[in-house]
Amino acid sequence: MVDLTTRRAGLALAGLLAADGLAHLYWATGATWPAADARALSLAVLGAEVPFTPPVVLPLAAALLTASAAVGARAYGRGGRAAALVTGAVAAGLTVRGLAGAGWALGLEAGVEGAGPAFHRLNLLLYTPLCAGFGWAAVRVLRRSPRDH
């Protein structure tokens, strides 16, 4: 029997990863929306100054779009071991980011000392809750039995 909640969670996660991948493709064009410039974008998204140039964002876009496809396949019981491994990596990454974000929200500044208010606000209201919720979804999809078509 199909577990529709798990499938929906997997498809929602695949959609989030695809949207993030598309945002990285957009930034590879030199556009900086929703920020005023590349520095502001980097500080708001990452909490540090990192170049949003094609050599940096294109590999991230490829990784995110590949992860989206793998998680979507796993949500439908497809993709075999490769989809399971990628989904596990997504679950681990989201869990680590969620825990780091919780630490930052509690005032532990390691790694984001000069991030500024935009990052801290986005971390508290958007990034950390998304990572926690979608990390849970990734674990749920990962634990899905291949027989659950």
Side-chain angles (χ1 to χ4, degrees):
M1 180 170 183
V2 175
D3 179 354
L4 291 178
T5 302
T6 298
R7 182 173 290 169
R8 287 182 185 131
L11 294 177
L13 175 55
L16 175 74
L17 293 167
D20 196 10
L22 292 173
H24 282 77
L25 288 176
Y26 173 75
W27 291 328
T29 68
T32 59
W33 181 90
D37 56 42
R39 181 180 183 279
L41 179 64
S42 181
L43 288 173
V45 172
L46 300 171
E49 285 190 57
V50 177
F52 271 66
T53 58
V56 174
V57 295
L58 287 176
L60 293 172
L64 288 161
L65 293 170
T66 300
S68 172
V71 169
R74 181 74 181 174
Y76 277 93
R78 308 266 193 280
R81 186 172 180 84
L85 288 171
V86 172
T87 302
V90 168
L94 288 171
T95 299
V96 168
R97 173 56 181 88
L99 290 172
W104 296 329
L106 293 172
L108 304 175
E109 293 291 319
V112 293
E113 294 87 1
F119 174 80
H120 289 289
R121 186 173 46 258
L122 288 168
N123 176 63
L124 182 64
L125 300 175
L126 183 66
Y127 305 148
T128 298
L130 281 175
C131 288
F134 283 103
W136 168 84
V139 169
R140 188 170 177 133
V141 172
L142 180 62
R143 295 185 54 166
R144 170 191 182 107
S145 168
R147 295 181 306 274
D148 294 342
H149 297 307

